[in-house]
Amino acid sequence: MEPSIGLSTSEAEARLRRDGPNELPAAARSGAVQMLWEVVREPMFLLLVACGSIYLALGDRHEALMLLGFVGVVIAMTFVQKRRSQAALDALRDLSSPRALVLRDGKPVRVSGKALVVGDLVLLAEGDRVPSDIELLEASYLTVDESLLTGESQPVLKQAREASDTGAAAAHQLCFSGSLVTQGTAQGRVVATGPRSALGRIGASLGGLTVDETPIQQETAQIVRRVAMAGASIALLLALGWAVSRGDWLTGLLAGLTLAMAILPEELPVVLTIFLGLGAWRLSRERVLTRRIPAVELLGATTLLCVDKTGTLTRNQMEVRRLWVDGAAFELANQPINVMAHAFHPVLEYAVLSSHRHAFDPMEAAIGVAGQHWLHGSEHLHGDWALVSDYPLSRELLAMSRVWRSPDQRELLVAAKGAPEAIIDLCHLPPSRRQHISEQVATLAGDGLRVLGVARAVFAAEALPPIQHDFDFELVGLLALEDPVRADVPAAIAECRAAGIRVAMITGDHPATALAIARKAGLEVDGRHLTGADLDALNDAALAEQLHDTQVFCRVRPEQKLRLVQAFRARGDVVAMTGDGVNDAPALKAAHIGVAMGGRGTDVAREAADLVLLNDDFGSLVTTIRYGRRVFANLRKAIVFVLAAHLPIIGLALAPLLMGWPLILMPAHILFLQLIIDPACSIVFEAEALEPGAMRQPPRRPDARLFDTALVRLSLLQGVGLLAAVLTGYVLAAQSGGSADAGRTVAFAVLVLGNLGLIQANRTWAASAAGPRNVNAAFRWIVLGTVVLLALALGVPQVAGLFKFTAPSAPLLALAAVLALTTWAWCAAMVALLRGQP
């Protein structure tokens, strides 16, 4: 391996096979046996075991065996659904693992932290989480937070080891796995990975992605507990009433257990877990990583998007467009090299000298490309100059300087670049000169260009001063860069506006640049904006008054983002906030939904965020809103279906006692229905596309309840309609067929087919989608499987006998079909009647 190019790809792969991945032993996850145990401990299956015991006590072994067969099928279905959700979360854990920027084959590439091997050359910058134990080869003002390892909160200064030092590296020459770069940059070689790193040796356990309990899950769990308690009481009363009125305690107990099974909405917690987990998985396929699952729940309620300009609204692909020197300007676009006047060369020359030679910042990379192109072959490129020191950008001074020594001069040359006002301040210009340059900056910024000032100084002393202000700088000129707006941004912002979502741009750029980009992006600004200085001058009450019609915030410092987020929240907005830097973490935490940039963002921002945009673009952010609305809308449809489907089951369990009929539904019948209800909830409705027009509706209220009055009313109306159809089928069939078994046969057929109609009626609630729906393959398979199973239950004598069915005649089958179609029409009519309320 050559130090300058790092490992080759083949060598890295060989070392990875030899040493294993760079990861610590993961916390124990639910294995197959544990997950299966969790399934069989659920109340529904405990009730089934009780029913099987009663069948054995009644001497009906065939019923008991059939019940156990169905139990096995339902357990398998539930197990598969849980495994599917677990697999989706495992995929998200892999995506959320730390990343590292390494040199492979001489090129910088970003790899998963797990893929690091001993010998890799790693590039570190402010905000990075150190992915392994690294020996420093180069370091510039590097400080590291090692509190995860030592408990000490004070950052530690690190230094590169000298080339002549052949002994073991000292602690101040090492960066340890799990520590955090708080300032500076560095390059180092990996010396230990995984359990052999400092973090691995002390046995620390890093938490992965966890499934938090969301407010909706808490609300659902509370409702399920209340319904279960009420159901248990009613079931006990039914069992006692049956036993007292008919003197049959075992059958009464069976009737009570059947009613308990009918009332218990055990699907709801499973539905919520699967919807949120698979929603996060679907977002990951759109290159949006969900680090905290509750964020999926709030996406649909977002009213305000606070976004950065660079890389989110723009492409983050800088190009130098214009140079300015003493009143003269030069446009670089589509110009031959020989037309650039010599007076403009120093602007590029000192801009290059003030940048890193191996730049990763898009702005510095653009300056380097322009310098190599326009200064090629001239005396203005200094590849043989030696870097003496540098002064990094700071919160107090938005400028950076690099100190160089040429081979033939004793004096040191200092090159600086930064925000024009910072460079003007460094040059100590008179007021008239300041005004003139500020006017030129405003002109360039008004064209949507990002403007940098460039300055130079000569320093003769050996000992460098502590701050940049101690150099005697002179202004060289201005350099303007362009970062074009992404092509899809105007349409995405228009979609947000139609959806009732405001977009606020928060940037550190010059006001004129920010306003120009805002107009190109499609924001309605009308010149209104607030600067960082304005924010400092406004108290909280005055700021609140300004927020309702201000969409552009410029020259904003990272710490001011937190105040803006808190102010927006105080006025009732549901805020999604983007960020990429170390200092953005508090604002990301304070927002309802923190969104980190996955490509250019720091590890600190990623860890503080709820979502990570792996593509760093605004379109992905709008996609998350779309998915959030889809998840919440489909959850409501699934819950309406669950509640409506349970109502006729409860009615059929109570009717025999109230009407003096024999038992209509047995536990086996309810298990059969579970084969429809469970996959319909967790597969069919979850796979439904977003309703047409959903992104033209205002956001839902953040305090909107999942189980509101409109949802319960629709469920009751649909469930009562299905119950009426089922009871009608039972009465008519029992009268014409002459037996309770004939009535049970038709009632069950109506119930099963009516459930399919109930699903179809609730797949869409939008008026514009009343016609043919988008293809939902899951629904097609459920319809096919249900019809086949129902045909087997009705047509095969041995199976029909277990269900206590009789072979239905053609008129009875026609009756069942007509009642099922009537149920579908009734449910669809209820959706149309109450449209807009659920």
Side-chain angles (χ1 to χ4, degrees), residues 220-252:
T220 302
Q222 185 180 39
I223 288 176
V224 169
R225 283 193 297 270
R226 291 176 179 175
V227 171
M229 293 176 62
S233 301
I234 297 173
L236 180 60
L237 292 176
L238 175 63
L240 292 174
W242 189 284
V244 171
S245 63
R246 306 196 184 187
D248 189 347
W249 285 93
L250 282 178
T251 304

PDB file of all heavy atoms in Angstrom, residues 220-252:
ATOM      1  N   THR A 220     -53.967   3.129  20.627  1.00  0.00           N
ATOM      2  CA  THR A 220     -54.553   1.848  20.220  1.00  0.00           C
ATOM      3  C   THR A 220     -54.481   0.823  21.345  1.00  0.00           C
ATOM      4  O   THR A 220     -55.442   0.086  21.593  1.00  0.00           O
ATOM      5  CB  THR A 220     -53.822   1.320  18.974  1.00  0.00           C
ATOM      6  OG1 THR A 220     -53.916   2.290  17.934  1.00  0.00           O
ATOM      7  CG2 THR A 220     -54.434   0.015  18.507  1.00  0.00           C
ATOM      8  N   ALA A 221     -53.320   0.777  22.014  1.00  0.00           N
ATOM      9  CA  ALA A 221     -53.184  -0.178  23.117  1.00  0.00           C
ATOM     10  C   ALA A 221     -54.215   0.097  24.205  1.00  0.00           C
ATOM     11  O   ALA A 221     -54.789  -0.833  24.788  1.00  0.00           O
ATOM     12  CB  ALA A 221     -51.767  -0.104  23.686  1.00  0.00           C
ATOM     13  N   GLN A 222     -54.444   1.374  24.478  1.00  0.00           N
ATOM     14  CA  GLN A 222     -55.442   1.734  25.499  1.00  0.00           C
ATOM     15  C   GLN A 222     -56.835   1.281  25.069  1.00  0.00           C
ATOM     16  O   GLN A 222     -57.596   0.726  25.881  1.00  0.00           O
ATOM     17  CB  GLN A 222     -55.406   3.243  25.721  1.00  0.00           C
ATOM     18  CG  GLN A 222     -56.305   3.726  26.848  1.00  0.00           C
ATOM     19  CD  GLN A 222     -56.225   5.224  27.024  1.00  0.00           C
ATOM     20  OE1 GLN A 222     -56.149   5.971  26.049  1.00  0.00           O
ATOM     21  NE2 GLN A 222     -56.222   5.690  28.261  1.00  0.00           N
ATOM     22  N   ILE A 223     -57.184   1.493  23.800  1.00  0.00           N
ATOM     23  CA  ILE A 223     -58.508   1.087  23.305  1.00  0.00           C
ATOM     24  C   ILE A 223     -58.649  -0.426  23.330  1.00  0.00           C
ATOM     25  O   ILE A 223     -59.695  -0.969  23.721  1.00  0.00           O
ATOM     26  CB  ILE A 223     -58.722   1.650  21.885  1.00  0.00           C
ATOM     27  CG1 ILE A 223     -58.942   3.160  21.967  1.00  0.00           C
ATOM     28  CG2 ILE A 223     -59.895   0.972  21.192  1.00  0.00           C
ATOM     29  CD1 ILE A 223     -59.065   3.846  20.641  1.00  0.00           C
ATOM     30  N   VAL A 224     -57.582  -1.140  22.913  1.00  0.00           N
ATOM     31  CA  VAL A 224     -57.637  -2.601  22.918  1.00  0.00           C
ATOM     32  C   VAL A 224     -57.845  -3.121  24.340  1.00  0.00           C
ATOM     33  O   VAL A 224     -58.631  -4.051  24.575  1.00  0.00           O
ATOM     34  CB  VAL A 224     -56.351  -3.194  22.298  1.00  0.00           C
ATOM     35  CG1 VAL A 224     -56.284  -4.699  22.539  1.00  0.00           C
ATOM     36  CG2 VAL A 224     -56.311  -2.903  20.803  1.00  0.00           C
ATOM     37  N   ARG A 225     -57.154  -2.508  25.311  1.00  0.00           N
ATOM     38  CA  ARG A 225     -57.326  -2.947  26.703  1.00  0.00           C
ATOM     39  C   ARG A 225     -58.762  -2.729  27.173  1.00  0.00           C
ATOM     40  O   ARG A 225     -59.358  -3.603  27.816  1.00  0.00           O
ATOM     41  CB  ARG A 225     -56.345  -2.193  27.614  1.00  0.00           C
ATOM     42  CG  ARG A 225     -54.918  -2.686  27.552  1.00  0.00           C
ATOM     43  CD  ARG A 225     -54.095  -2.124  28.695  1.00  0.00           C
ATOM     44  NE  ARG A 225     -53.979  -0.676  28.632  1.00  0.00           N
ATOM     45  CZ  ARG A 225     -53.018  -0.020  28.003  1.00  0.00           C
ATOM     46  NH1 ARG A 225     -52.095  -0.702  27.362  1.00  0.00           N
ATOM     47  NH2 ARG A 225     -52.975   1.297  28.006  1.00  0.00           N
ATOM     48  N   ARG A 226     -59.321  -1.559  26.845  1.00  0.00           N
ATOM     49  CA  ARG A 226     -60.691  -1.275  27.270  1.00  0.00           C
ATOM     50  C   ARG A 226     -61.688  -2.218  26.609  1.00  0.00           C
ATOM     51  O   ARG A 226     -62.597  -2.744  27.267  1.00  0.00           O
ATOM     52  CB  ARG A 226     -61.027   0.177  26.940  1.00  0.00           C
ATOM     53  CG  ARG A 226     -60.281   1.202  27.784  1.00  0.00           C
ATOM     54  CD  ARG A 226     -60.590   2.618  27.341  1.00  0.00           C
ATOM     55  NE  ARG A 226     -59.906   3.607  28.158  1.00  0.00           N
ATOM     56  CZ  ARG A 226     -59.932   4.917  27.914  1.00  0.00           C
ATOM     57  NH1 ARG A 226     -60.628   5.387  26.880  1.00  0.00           N
ATOM     58  NH2 ARG A 226     -59.274   5.750  28.701  1.00  0.00           N
ATOM     59  N   VAL A 227     -61.510  -2.436  25.298  1.00  0.00           N
ATOM     60  CA  VAL A 227     -62.421  -3.333  24.580  1.00  0.00           C
ATOM     61  C   VAL A 227     -62.291  -4.748  25.119  1.00  0.00           C
ATOM     62  O   VAL A 227     -63.289  -5.469  25.278  1.00  0.00           O
ATOM     63  CB  VAL A 227     -62.141  -3.282  23.066  1.00  0.00           C
ATOM     64  CG1 VAL A 227     -62.927  -4.357  22.339  1.00  0.00           C
ATOM     65  CG2 VAL A 227     -62.495  -1.907  22.509  1.00  0.00           C
ATOM     66  N   ALA A 228     -61.056  -5.175  25.406  1.00  0.00           N
ATOM     67  CA  ALA A 228     -60.846  -6.525  25.924  1.00  0.00           C
ATOM     68  C   ALA A 228     -61.525  -6.709  27.279  1.00  0.00           C
ATOM     69  O   ALA A 228     -62.161  -7.747  27.542  1.00  0.00           O
ATOM     70  CB  ALA A 228     -59.353  -6.815  26.033  1.00  0.00           C
ATOM     71  N   MET A 229     -61.416  -5.705  28.140  1.00  0.00           N
ATOM     72  CA  MET A 229     -62.067  -5.800  29.450  1.00  0.00           C
ATOM     73  C   MET A 229     -63.590  -5.829  29.308  1.00  0.00           C
ATOM     74  O   MET A 229     -64.266  -6.645  29.950  1.00  0.00           O
ATOM     75  CB  MET A 229     -61.640  -4.623  30.329  1.00  0.00           C
ATOM     76  CG  MET A 229     -60.165  -4.655  30.729  1.00  0.00           C
ATOM     77  SD  MET A 229     -59.651  -3.190  31.671  1.00  0.00           S
ATOM     78  CE  MET A 229     -60.695  -3.346  33.106  1.00  0.00           C
ATOM     79  N   ALA A 230     -64.115  -4.952  28.433  1.00  0.00           N
ATOM     80  CA  ALA A 230     -65.562  -4.962  28.222  1.00  0.00           C
ATOM     81  C   ALA A 230     -66.010  -6.268  27.597  1.00  0.00           C
ATOM     82  O   ALA A 230     -67.052  -6.846  27.968  1.00  0.00           O
ATOM     83  CB  ALA A 230     -65.957  -3.784  27.334  1.00  0.00           C
ATOM     84  N   GLY A 231     -65.200  -6.759  26.627  1.00  0.00           N
ATOM     85  CA  GLY A 231     -65.544  -8.018  25.963  1.00  0.00           C
ATOM     86  C   GLY A 231     -65.551  -9.185  26.916  1.00  0.00           C
ATOM     87  O   GLY A 231     -66.419 -10.064  26.845  1.00  0.00           O
ATOM     88  N   ALA A 232     -64.572  -9.206  27.803  1.00  0.00           N
ATOM     89  CA  ALA A 232     -64.517 -10.291  28.785  1.00  0.00           C
ATOM     90  C   ALA A 232     -65.746 -10.263  29.687  1.00  0.00           C
ATOM     91  O   ALA A 232     -66.329 -11.324  30.008  1.00  0.00           O
ATOM     92  CB  ALA A 232     -63.236 -10.172  29.608  1.00  0.00           C
ATOM     93  N   SER A 233     -66.176  -9.077  30.084  1.00  0.00           N
ATOM     94  CA  SER A 233     -67.363  -8.972  30.945  1.00  0.00           C
ATOM     95  C   SER A 233     -68.612  -9.439  30.203  1.00  0.00           C
ATOM     96  O   SER A 233     -69.424 -10.209  30.745  1.00  0.00           O
ATOM     97  CB  SER A 233     -67.543  -7.523  31.403  1.00  0.00           C
ATOM     98  OG  SER A 233     -66.397  -7.076  32.108  1.00  0.00           O
ATOM     99  N   ILE A 234     -68.774  -8.987  28.947  1.00  0.00           N
ATOM    100  CA  ILE A 234     -69.952  -9.382  28.168  1.00  0.00           C
ATOM    101  C   ILE A 234     -69.931 -10.887  27.897  1.00  0.00           C
ATOM    102  O   ILE A 234     -70.972 -11.565  27.962  1.00  0.00           O
ATOM    103  CB  ILE A 234     -70.007  -8.589  26.846  1.00  0.00           C
ATOM    104  CG1 ILE A 234     -70.171  -7.089  27.140  1.00  0.00           C
ATOM    105  CG2 ILE A 234     -71.150  -9.076  25.965  1.00  0.00           C
ATOM    106  CD1 ILE A 234     -70.054  -6.214  25.906  1.00  0.00           C
ATOM    107  N   ALA A 235     -68.722 -11.423  27.574  1.00  0.00           N
ATOM    108  CA  ALA A 235     -68.619 -12.853  27.302  1.00  0.00           C
ATOM    109  C   ALA A 235     -68.983 -13.667  28.537  1.00  0.00           C
ATOM    110  O   ALA A 235     -69.639 -14.727  28.434  1.00  0.00           O
ATOM    111  CB  ALA A 235     -67.196 -13.185  26.844  1.00  0.00           C
ATOM    112  N   LEU A 236     -68.559 -13.188  29.704  1.00  0.00           N
ATOM    113  CA  LEU A 236     -68.904 -13.896  30.937  1.00  0.00           C
ATOM    114  C   LEU A 236     -70.412 -13.875  31.166  1.00  0.00           C
ATOM    115  O   LEU A 236     -71.014 -14.910  31.535  1.00  0.00           O
ATOM    116  CB  LEU A 236     -68.172 -13.247  32.112  1.00  0.00           C
ATOM    117  CG  LEU A 236     -68.424 -13.857  33.494  1.00  0.00           C
ATOM    118  CD1 LEU A 236     -67.993 -15.322  33.515  1.00  0.00           C
ATOM    119  CD2 LEU A 236     -67.693 -13.066  34.585  1.00  0.00           C
ATOM    120  N   LEU A 237     -71.050 -12.719  30.920  1.00  0.00           N
ATOM    121  CA  LEU A 237     -72.502 -12.627  31.067  1.00  0.00           C
ATOM    122  C   LEU A 237     -73.200 -13.545  30.072  1.00  0.00           C
ATOM    123  O   LEU A 237     -74.205 -14.200  30.401  1.00  0.00           O
ATOM    124  CB  LEU A 237     -72.951 -11.178  30.870  1.00  0.00           C
ATOM    125  CG  LEU A 237     -72.520 -10.188  31.962  1.00  0.00           C
ATOM    126  CD1 LEU A 237     -72.942  -8.767  31.578  1.00  0.00           C
ATOM    127  CD2 LEU A 237     -73.143 -10.584  33.299  1.00  0.00           C
ATOM    128  N   LEU A 238     -72.679 -13.619  28.828  1.00  0.00           N
ATOM    129  CA  LEU A 238     -73.286 -14.504  27.827  1.00  0.00           C
ATOM    130  C   LEU A 238     -73.182 -15.962  28.267  1.00  0.00           C
ATOM    131  O   LEU A 238     -74.156 -16.739  28.166  1.00  0.00           O
ATOM    132  CB  LEU A 238     -72.592 -14.302  26.473  1.00  0.00           C
ATOM    133  CG  LEU A 238     -73.031 -15.254  25.350  1.00  0.00           C
ATOM    134  CD1 LEU A 238     -74.503 -15.048  25.016  1.00  0.00           C
ATOM    135  CD2 LEU A 238     -72.174 -15.061  24.108  1.00  0.00           C
ATOM    136  N   ALA A 239     -71.998 -16.336  28.756  1.00  0.00           N
ATOM    137  CA  ALA A 239     -71.818 -17.726  29.198  1.00  0.00           C
ATOM    138  C   ALA A 239     -72.765 -18.054  30.356  1.00  0.00           C
ATOM    139  O   ALA A 239     -73.403 -19.127  30.376  1.00  0.00           O
ATOM    140  CB  ALA A 239     -70.362 -17.950  29.611  1.00  0.00           C
ATOM    141  N   LEU A 240     -72.882 -17.146  31.301  1.00  0.00           N
ATOM    142  CA  LEU A 240     -73.782 -17.377  32.427  1.00  0.00           C
ATOM    143  C   LEU A 240     -75.237 -17.421  31.967  1.00  0.00           C
ATOM    144  O   LEU A 240     -76.028 -18.278  32.407  1.00  0.00           O
ATOM    145  CB  LEU A 240     -73.592 -16.271  33.478  1.00  0.00           C
ATOM    146  CG  LEU A 240     -72.251 -16.274  34.226  1.00  0.00           C
ATOM    147  CD1 LEU A 240     -72.136 -15.049  35.125  1.00  0.00           C
ATOM    148  CD2 LEU A 240     -72.125 -17.555  35.054  1.00  0.00           C
ATOM    149  N   GLY A 241     -75.626 -16.473  31.066  1.00  0.00           N
ATOM    150  CA  GLY A 241     -77.008 -16.453  30.569  1.00  0.00           C
ATOM    151  C   GLY A 241     -77.349 -17.722  29.829  1.00  0.00           C
ATOM    152  O   GLY A 241     -78.459 -18.274  29.980  1.00  0.00           O
ATOM    153  N   TRP A 242     -76.425 -18.201  28.990  1.00  0.00           N
ATOM    154  CA  TRP A 242     -76.662 -19.438  28.231  1.00  0.00           C
ATOM    155  C   TRP A 242     -76.804 -20.626  29.190  1.00  0.00           C
ATOM    156  O   TRP A 242     -77.715 -21.454  29.048  1.00  0.00           O
ATOM    157  CB  TRP A 242     -75.499 -19.664  27.264  1.00  0.00           C
ATOM    158  CG  TRP A 242     -75.735 -20.773  26.283  1.00  0.00           C
ATOM    159  CD1 TRP A 242     -75.666 -22.112  26.531  1.00  0.00           C
ATOM    160  CD2 TRP A 242     -76.117 -20.638  24.912  1.00  0.00           C
ATOM    161  NE1 TRP A 242     -75.963 -22.823  25.409  1.00  0.00           N
ATOM    162  CE2 TRP A 242     -76.240 -21.938  24.385  1.00  0.00           C
ATOM    163  CE3 TRP A 242     -76.351 -19.549  24.089  1.00  0.00           C
ATOM    164  CZ2 TRP A 242     -76.586 -22.172  23.065  1.00  0.00           C
ATOM    165  CZ3 TRP A 242     -76.700 -19.785  22.781  1.00  0.00           C
ATOM    166  CH2 TRP A 242     -76.812 -21.077  22.266  1.00  0.00           C
ATOM    167  N   ALA A 243     -75.888 -20.689  30.163  1.00  0.00           N
ATOM    168  CA  ALA A 243     -75.904 -21.817  31.082  1.00  0.00           C
ATOM    169  C   ALA A 243     -77.166 -21.821  31.935  1.00  0.00           C
ATOM    170  O   ALA A 243     -77.793 -22.870  32.159  1.00  0.00           O
ATOM    171  CB  ALA A 243     -74.668 -21.778  31.974  1.00  0.00           C
ATOM    172  N   VAL A 244     -77.585 -20.636  32.412  1.00  0.00           N
ATOM    173  CA  VAL A 244     -78.770 -20.559  33.265  1.00  0.00           C
ATOM    174  C   VAL A 244     -80.038 -20.832  32.469  1.00  0.00           C
ATOM    175  O   VAL A 244     -80.939 -21.564  32.921  1.00  0.00           O
ATOM    176  CB  VAL A 244     -78.845 -19.166  33.943  1.00  0.00           C
ATOM    177  CG1 VAL A 244     -80.179 -18.981  34.654  1.00  0.00           C
ATOM    178  CG2 VAL A 244     -77.679 -18.997  34.916  1.00  0.00           C
ATOM    179  N   SER A 245     -80.145 -20.271  31.266  1.00  0.00           N
ATOM    180  CA  SER A 245     -81.371 -20.409  30.485  1.00  0.00           C
ATOM    181  C   SER A 245     -81.506 -21.790  29.845  1.00  0.00           C
ATOM    182  O   SER A 245     -82.614 -22.267  29.625  1.00  0.00           O
ATOM    183  CB  SER A 245     -81.444 -19.325  29.408  1.00  0.00           C
ATOM    184  OG  SER A 245     -80.375 -19.468  28.482  1.00  0.00           O
ATOM    185  N   ARG A 246     -80.375 -22.424  29.519  1.00  0.00           N
ATOM    186  CA  ARG A 246     -80.456 -23.700  28.790  1.00  0.00           C
ATOM    187  C   ARG A 246     -79.835 -24.859  29.556  1.00  0.00           C
ATOM    188  O   ARG A 246     -79.890 -25.995  29.089  1.00  0.00           O
ATOM    189  CB  ARG A 246     -79.774 -23.562  27.434  1.00  0.00           C
ATOM    190  CG  ARG A 246     -80.341 -22.373  26.634  1.00  0.00           C
ATOM    191  CD  ARG A 246     -79.977 -22.428  25.175  1.00  0.00           C
ATOM    192  NE  ARG A 246     -80.447 -21.254  24.456  1.00  0.00           N
ATOM    193  CZ  ARG A 246     -80.383 -21.089  23.147  1.00  0.00           C
ATOM    194  NH1 ARG A 246     -79.871 -22.045  22.405  1.00  0.00           N
ATOM    195  NH2 ARG A 246     -80.828 -19.986  22.585  1.00  0.00           N
ATOM    196  N   GLY A 247     -79.187 -24.572  30.689  1.00  0.00           N
ATOM    197  CA  GLY A 247     -78.650 -25.640  31.510  1.00  0.00           C
ATOM    198  C   GLY A 247     -77.446 -26.337  30.918  1.00  0.00           C
ATOM    199  O   GLY A 247     -77.121 -27.459  31.308  1.00  0.00           O
ATOM    200  N   ASP A 248     -76.762 -25.713  29.975  1.00  0.00           N
ATOM    201  CA  ASP A 248     -75.619 -26.330  29.309  1.00  0.00           C
ATOM    202  C   ASP A 248     -74.396 -25.466  29.564  1.00  0.00           C
ATOM    203  O   ASP A 248     -74.138 -24.486  28.853  1.00  0.00           O
ATOM    204  CB  ASP A 248     -75.904 -26.451  27.807  1.00  0.00           C
ATOM    205  CG  ASP A 248     -74.835 -27.285  27.090  1.00  0.00           C
ATOM    206  OD1 ASP A 248     -73.773 -27.541  27.689  1.00  0.00           O
ATOM    207  OD2 ASP A 248     -75.062 -27.648  25.916  1.00  0.00           O
ATOM    208  N   TRP A 249     -73.638 -25.838  30.609  1.00  0.00           N
ATOM    209  CA  TRP A 249     -72.525 -24.991  31.014  1.00  0.00           C
ATOM    210  C   TRP A 249     -71.372 -25.013  30.016  1.00  0.00           C
ATOM    211  O   TRP A 249     -70.769 -23.968  29.743  1.00  0.00           O
ATOM    212  CB  TRP A 249     -72.016 -25.423  32.391  1.00  0.00           C
ATOM    213  CG  TRP A 249     -72.940 -24.994  33.487  1.00  0.00           C
ATOM    214  CD1 TRP A 249     -73.962 -25.718  34.029  1.00  0.00           C
ATOM    215  CD2 TRP A 249     -72.927 -23.721  34.146  1.00  0.00           C
ATOM    216  NE1 TRP A 249     -74.616 -24.987  34.993  1.00  0.00           N
ATOM    217  CE2 TRP A 249     -73.985 -23.736  35.099  1.00  0.00           C
ATOM    218  CE3 TRP A 249     -72.162 -22.572  34.058  1.00  0.00           C
ATOM    219  CZ2 TRP A 249     -74.276 -22.660  35.927  1.00  0.00           C
ATOM    220  CZ3 TRP A 249     -72.439 -21.499  34.893  1.00  0.00           C
ATOM    221  CH2 TRP A 249     -73.490 -21.549  35.802  1.00  0.00           C
ATOM    222  N   LEU A 250     -71.052 -26.182  29.479  1.00  0.00           N
ATOM    223  CA  LEU A 250     -69.923 -26.255  28.543  1.00  0.00           C
ATOM    224  C   LEU A 250     -70.211 -25.483  27.257  1.00  0.00           C
ATOM    225  O   LEU A 250     -69.375 -24.737  26.758  1.00  0.00           O
ATOM    226  CB  LEU A 250     -69.597 -27.717  28.219  1.00  0.00           C
ATOM    227  CG  LEU A 250     -68.814 -28.483  29.302  1.00  0.00           C
ATOM    228  CD1 LEU A 250     -68.607 -29.929  28.873  1.00  0.00           C
ATOM    229  CD2 LEU A 250     -67.465 -27.816  29.559  1.00  0.00           C
ATOM    230  N   THR A 251     -71.440 -25.658  26.711  1.00  0.00           N
ATOM    231  CA  THR A 251     -71.800 -24.912  25.499  1.00  0.00           C
ATOM    232  C   THR A 251     -71.869 -23.421  25.792  1.00  0.00           C
ATOM    233  O   THR A 251     -71.488 -22.585  24.969  1.00  0.00           O
ATOM    234  CB  THR A 251     -73.148 -25.405  24.957  1.00  0.00           C
ATOM    235  OG1 THR A 251     -73.071 -26.812  24.726  1.00  0.00           O
ATOM    236  CG2 THR A 251     -73.500 -24.700  23.652  1.00  0.00           C
ATOM    237  N   GLY A 252     -72.359 -23.068  27.006  1.00  0.00           N
ATOM    238  CA  GLY A 252     -72.377 -21.658  27.391  1.00  0.00           C
ATOM    239  C   GLY A 252     -70.979 -21.079  27.466  1.00  0.00           C
ATOM    240  O   GLY A 252     -70.733 -19.951  27.031  1.00  0.00           O
TER     241      GLY A 252
END
